[in-house]
Amino acid sequence: MRIDLLLVRPPSSVFAQLTRVLTEHGAQVRQVRCDRDAGEIGSDVDLCVTKAKTPAALALARRYHEAGVATFNPYEVTELCRDKIATTRVLESAGVPVPATFTALDPTDLAPLLADGPLVVKPYRGSQGAGIEVVERPEQLSRIDHGGDPILAQRYLEPDGRDRKIYRIGDEVFCVERVWPPQSLADKVGRLVRLPAGIESVARACGEALGIDTYGVDVIEHHGEPWVVDLSSFPGFKGVPEAGRRLAERVLREVAPVRR
């Protein structure tokens, strides 16, 4: 079996382990650097694993999809999840608890909403926390520049505690607590903690809404209630024990029906 893994940078330890375990199970794994290796798509590729989600990576993933190669996660879901506005609407319509959400092309149009409290303003195609800002005063809005792209704003909900990253791989769900912003490698990796049943239920509902079982969600608790504030269709899975092995086992289950 041949599996192409789309990346934009050298693989992390998680994805190095993923590659190693897949290889041990007889797969031919090609790590495709989307910024330099986007050549012809071989007819013998069984599965494309779309870790990278840059515009170049999504364009390449679409080529695999259009060539009839299965993608993991599915290309349509990966593309959808790159758009935070569209993703939030899907989750909201499925009954997943998300903060009150607003969009605008001009940031200053959000100013009247500040009468009801602060907003969290995000680039609608942002990642890794870049460009996120808590806005409390109208003058802050005039300094926001998202290059003419739509802006996503959500009502700011003060977290009861630390940020929680919820990772799902197949049927397993893990909860990692992190300090934000991270000041050290330990902060970035976080600490594996017990997963409260209410948060697990919300995290699983995200997958049901999108039709996937491998992803990551950021969940905060506000006044004891869970709220989903971000979702990634293929996160880094930092802090998940043996994440690379678990991902490899899930990928192998995905590729098995393709080869029948």
Side-chain angles (χ1 to χ4, degrees):
M1 82 189 82
R2 178 174 157 186
I3 299 172
D4 283 3
L5 176 59
L6 303 193
L7 303 168
V8 291
R9 58 181 64 89
S12 67
S13 59
V14 168
F15 292 93
Q17 184 185 41
L18 164 65
T19 300
R20 184 171 65 253
V21 174
L22 290 174
T23 301
E24 290 170 355
H25 281 78
Q28 292 182 322
V29 181
R30 185 172 70 124
Q31 294 179 350
V32 180
R33 291 284 297 276
C34 303
D35 55 344
R36 68 185 189 196
D37 298 335
E40 291 299 314
I41 297 172
S43 59
D44 59 341
V45 179
D46 294 297
L47 185 70
C48 168
V49 178
T50 54
K51 162 55 181 158
K53 298 177 286 292
T54 63
L58 287 174
L60 184 55
R62 180 170 182 169
R63 287 176 53 203
Y64 279 89
H65 173 69
E66 292 177 343
V69 177
T71 58
F72 182 78
N73 276 309
Y75 167 74
E76 299 94 333
V77 178
T78 302
E79 175 65 44
L80 170 72
C81 290
R82 194 67 179 87
D83 182 333
K84 292 182 182 297
I85 295 173
T87 303
T88 301
R89 296 306 186 204
V90 169
L91 297 179
E92 189 175 37
S93 66
V96 174
V98 298
T101 301
F102 315 93
T103 60
L105 288 175
D106 183 342
T108 61
D109 290 344
L110 299 169
L113 298 172
L114 294 174
D116 294 323
L119 297 170
V120 179
V121 178
K122 312 175 183 182
Y124 89 109
R125 294 180 76 87
S127 63
Q128 299 181 328
I132 296 178
E133 184 174 351
V134 178
V135 174
E136 298 177 333
R137 302 181 306 279
E139 57 267 27
Q140 290 176 262
L141 294 169
S142 62
R143 297 194 294 268
I144 293 175
D145 180 10
H146 287 168
D149 287 338
I151 294 168
L152 171 67
Q154 292 184 310
R155 183 62 62 196
Y156 175 70
L157 303 176
E158 181 72 30
D160 294 340
R162 291 185 173 182
D163 288 359
R164 283 175 170 161
K165 301 278 187 179
I166 314 301
Y167 297 116
R168 182 176 177 181
I169 304 175
D171 198 46
E172 295 185 290
V173 185
F174 303 88
C175 181
V176 177
E177 270 191 355
R178 289 201 189 142
V179 175
W180 183 261
Q183 303 297 321
S184 66
L185 178 59
D187 289 348
K188 291 181 180 179
V189 172
R191 181 173 66 98
L192 193 67
V193 298
R194 182 184 64 83
L195 177 63
I199 292 180
E200 179 176 358
S201 177
V202 166
R204 288 184 181 275
C206 293
E208 292 166 7
L210 294 165
I212 56 177
D213 67 7
T214 300
Y215 53 91
V217 290
D218 291 6
V219 178
I220 66 165
E221 283 189 288
H222 175 71
H223 294 166
E225 296 296 326
W227 298 86
V228 173
V229 295
D230 200 12
L231 183 146
S232 172
S233 62
F234 213 124
F237 297 99
K238 291 185 182 71
V240 174
E242 292 290 298
R245 176 186 59 78
R246 286 182 158 92
L247 284 169
E249 291 170 354
R250 177 64 187 88
V251 168
L252 288 168
R253 291 199 299 273
E254 187 72 17
V255 79
V258 174
R259 292 181 58 80
R260 287 181 187 151

